[in-house]
Amino acid sequence: SLVGPIGDDSLGGLMVSRVMGAGVDTEGMMVCDGVDTTVTVVLIWEEGERSFLHSGNISSKLSGGHLAGLDTVGVEYIHIGGALLLTGVEAEDWARTLKRFKEAGATTSMDPAWDAEGRWLEKLEPALPQLDYMFPSETEAKMLTGEEDPTQAGRSLVNFGVGKVVVKLGEQGSLLVEKENVSVLQAES
């Protein structure tokens, strides 16, 4: 299933028709009248780092109330992409939602994205113990934890309760940080 807000514009309609055509359930999509669908352009630098350019802020339309209505039946995996871009959802909303899905047997994961509001850990801390996996970039991990070293940042997130943390390091690959182990995952050329 795909859950989130879209505008009542042609881009929103195109997106829904494309994902429906791929067999994805779009019942969780929320059409917002008079608002354009957010567009994101991803720039990938030679060294593997990525920058994101966003146009529009429909992401703020998603709220904890919307999340509370999501059905957990039959869901095996829930991933929250760009959690910190979804400014209408508060920390406790994420925690409650992820807890419901975990209790229903789903594997949970999150990619935080950049926090333009600068709230970082405040916005996510209550949800961290409900995450099986977290996928921050090296910079996001540093901003969330205050740790300069990516291994220490990953360990800090594990200490907050995340099961496994994959710290993305651009062209250097990733670090998989678990409670008792740290593995380097090389990027493929």
Side-chain angles (χ1 to χ4, degrees):
S1 291
L2 186 60
V3 174
I6 57 169
D8 63 349
D9 56 358
S10 59
L11 183 57
L14 175 65
M15 188 181 86
V16 169
S17 70
R18 295 294 297 266
V19 296
M20 284 178 68
V24 176
D25 176 9
T26 60
E27 193 172 312
M29 297 304 297
M30 177 176 71
V31 178
C32 300
D33 295 332
V35 182
D36 290 336
T37 300
T38 298
V39 174
T40 302
V41 175
V42 182
L43 304 174
I44 303 173
W45 304 108
E46 191 173 297
E47 64 277 0
E49 284 296 314
R50 301 170 303 154
S51 296
F52 298 84
L53 305 174
H54 301 284
S55 172
N57 190 19
I58 197 166
S59 300
S60 66
K61 303 294 183 188
L62 187 69
S63 70
H66 191 244
L67 297 177
L70 297 177
D71 188 2
T72 62
V73 175
V75 176
E76 295 177 15
Y77 186 92
I78 180 171
H79 176 75
I80 300 167
L84 293 170
L85 299 173
L86 301 168
T87 57
V89 181
E90 293 297 327
E92 291 301 327
D93 299 324
W94 288 130
R96 277 190 298 276
T97 300
L98 289 164
K99 183 176 183 180
R100 283 190 317 109
F101 279 91
K102 269 190 83 111
E103 288 175 348
T107 300
T108 60
S109 68
M110 176 184 286
D111 187 322
W114 186 258
D115 184 10
E117 294 181 328
R119 294 174 56 196
W120 293 100
L121 192 59
E122 169 194 342
K123 186 83 176 188
L124 297 181
E125 185 176 0
L128 297 181
Q130 304 304 325
L131 287 172
D132 294 307
Y133 298 92
M134 188 175 200
F135 301 97
S137 69
E138 181 177 5
T139 305
E140 292 162 355
K142 288 177 185 178
M143 296 301 292
L144 282 163
T145 65
E147 298 284 352
E148 289 295 319
D149 178 70
T151 300
Q152 292 305 319
R155 284 191 173 127
S156 181
L157 291 166
V158 167
N159 289 338
F160 276 112
V162 179
K164 297 177 183 177
V165 178
V166 177
V167 181
K168 299 176 283 186
L169 305 173
E171 69 180 357
Q172 297 173 325
S174 299
L175 290 176
L176 171 61
V177 182
E178 303 170 90
K179 195 167 205 74
E180 303 295 326
N181 190 36
V182 176
S183 305
V184 177
L185 308 170
Q186 296 294 325
E188 292 188 24
S189 303

